[in-house]
Amino acid sequence: YELPFRGPYLGGWTANWILTLYSGQPQTIGCTIATAAGAGCYALLVPGEDPYGGPHDVSQFYNPAAFANPPVATTIGQTDFSPLGGNRTQVTGPPFRQLDFSIAKRIELAERRRMELRVETFNLTNTPSFNLPGFSNFTDTRNFGRITSTRNSARQVQLGIKFYW
């Protein structure tokens, strides 16, 4: 965006920005016990429990009380598929938000020569965006849903000068 100023000192300014917003990534919580030989399974959501209840921060992003293991398969060839568990992607992880911004000043030096001074910032607001919780054993209520890393870096600022001839 070129700012609408005119004149040697106020003119020649350009501002740019990129706002990135993503909802969280889907995540599947698996069973903590084997329910059928050779078959994986997904945890069941407990009715009435909010999967995002509790602290809902980096120490525990998901509520461990909202997940349960399905019943174990007891009969060979049974037609009841409940031992395979619930749906995939029961929860959604933390969102991603980042604002990148730059401002530049164009300075005319001669007839065909000019210089550009530029300041660029990445993650201007210094907003952390967290990765998915890495620990998905919901029976370990102390560590379940813990987030240990971020998806973006801290604020970065860079300065630049560009000559055109």
Side-chain angles (χ1 to χ4, degrees):
Y1 176 74
E2 180 135 356
L3 302 175
F5 299 120
R6 300 284 183 248
Y9 300 109
L10 296 178
W13 288 95
T14 305
N16 299 295
W17 59 275
I18 299 172
L19 177 63
T20 307
L21 301 171
Y22 294 121
S23 61
Q25 294 177 301
Q27 186 172 16
T28 301
I29 307 299
C31 298
T32 59
I33 61 170
T35 59
C41 74
Y42 306 123
L44 297 170
L45 288 173
V46 175
E49 286 287 339
D50 180 11
Y52 304 103
H56 195 61
D57 59 13
V58 294
S59 68
Q60 191 170 62
F61 195 75
Y62 303 133
N63 177 9
F67 303 94
N69 285 311
V72 176
T74 56
T75 308
I76 295 175
Q78 73 183 50
T79 57
D80 176 20
F81 293 110
S82 63
L84 297 178
N87 296 328
R88 294 183 313 159
T89 64
Q90 306 98 321
V91 288
T92 303
F96 182 88
R97 295 176 288 239
Q98 183 167 310
L99 175 64
D100 300 333
F101 181 77
S102 70
I103 190 162
K105 169 70 170 143
R106 188 180 63 242
I107 302 168
E108 302 294 333
L109 299 174
E111 184 177 317
R112 297 181 66 192
R113 292 184 177 93
R114 70 179 191 268
M115 177 173 64
E116 182 180 87
L117 302 173
R118 175 177 293 273
V119 177
E120 297 174 330
T121 59
F122 304 96
N123 195 9
L124 176 68
T125 59
N126 206 24
T127 303
S129 291
F130 298 102
N131 278 322
L132 289 173
F135 195 78
S136 61
N137 179 354
F138 60 86
T139 59
D140 182 355
T141 58
R142 180 181 169 116
N143 293 313
F144 174 69
R146 184 170 293 201
I147 297 174
T148 58
S149 61
T150 58
R151 295 171 60 186
N152 62 348
S153 59
R155 179 186 306 123
Q156 296 176 10
V157 178
Q158 66 184 26
L159 306 172
I161 299 176
K162 188 187 260 186
F163 292 100
Y164 296 90
W165 65 88

Coordinates of all heavy atoms in Angstrom, one line a residue, residues 3 38 48 59 123 140 144 154 164:
L3 N 1.4 5.0 0.7 CA 0.8 6.0 1.5 C 0.6 7.3 0.7 O 1.4 7.6 -0.1 CB 1.6 6.3 2.8 CG 1.8 5.1 3.7 CD1 2.8 5.4 4.8 CD2 0.5 4.5 4.2
G38 N -4.4 -56.6 16.7 CA -3.9 -56.1 15.4 C -4.8 -54.9 14.9 O -4.5 -54.4 13.8
G48 N -21.2 -35.5 27.9 CA -21.3 -34.5 29.0 C -20.0 -33.9 29.4 O -19.9 -32.9 30.2
S59 N -0.1 -26.3 29.7 CA 0.1 -27.3 30.6 C -0.9 -28.5 30.4 O -0.6 -29.6 30.8 CB 0.0 -26.8 32.1 OG -1.3 -26.4 32.4
N123 N 6.1 -11.7 12.7 CA 5.4 -11.9 14.0 C 5.5 -10.6 14.8 O 5.9 -10.6 15.9 CB 6.0 -13.1 14.7 CG 5.1 -13.5 15.8 OD1 4.0 -13.1 16.0 ND2 5.6 -14.4 16.7
D140 N -2.9 -40.7 31.7 CA -1.9 -40.0 32.5 C -2.4 -38.5 32.6 O -2.0 -37.7 31.8 CB -0.5 -40.1 31.8 CG 0.6 -39.4 32.6 OD1 0.3 -38.7 33.6 OD2 1.7 -39.4 32.1
F144 N -1.2 -35.4 30.1 CA -2.0 -35.5 28.9 C -2.3 -34.1 28.4 O -2.6 -33.2 29.1 CB -3.3 -36.2 29.2 CG -4.3 -36.1 28.0 CD1 -4.0 -36.9 26.9 CD2 -5.4 -35.4 28.1 CE1 -4.9 -36.8 25.8 CE2 -6.3 -35.3 27.0 CZ -6.0 -36.1 25.9
A154 N 9.8 -16.2 17.6 CA 9.6 -14.9 18.2 C 9.7 -13.8 17.2 O 10.1 -14.0 16.1 CB 10.6 -14.8 19.3
Y164 N 19.0 1.2 -6.6 CA 18.6 1.0 -8.0 C 19.4 1.9 -8.9 O 19.5 3.1 -8.6 CB 17.1 1.3 -8.1 CG 16.2 0.4 -7.3 CD1 15.8 0.8 -6.0 CD2 15.6 -0.7 -7.9 CE1 14.9 0.0 -5.3 CE2 14.8 -1.5 -7.1 CZ 14.4 -1.1 -5.8 OH 13.5 -1.9 -5.1

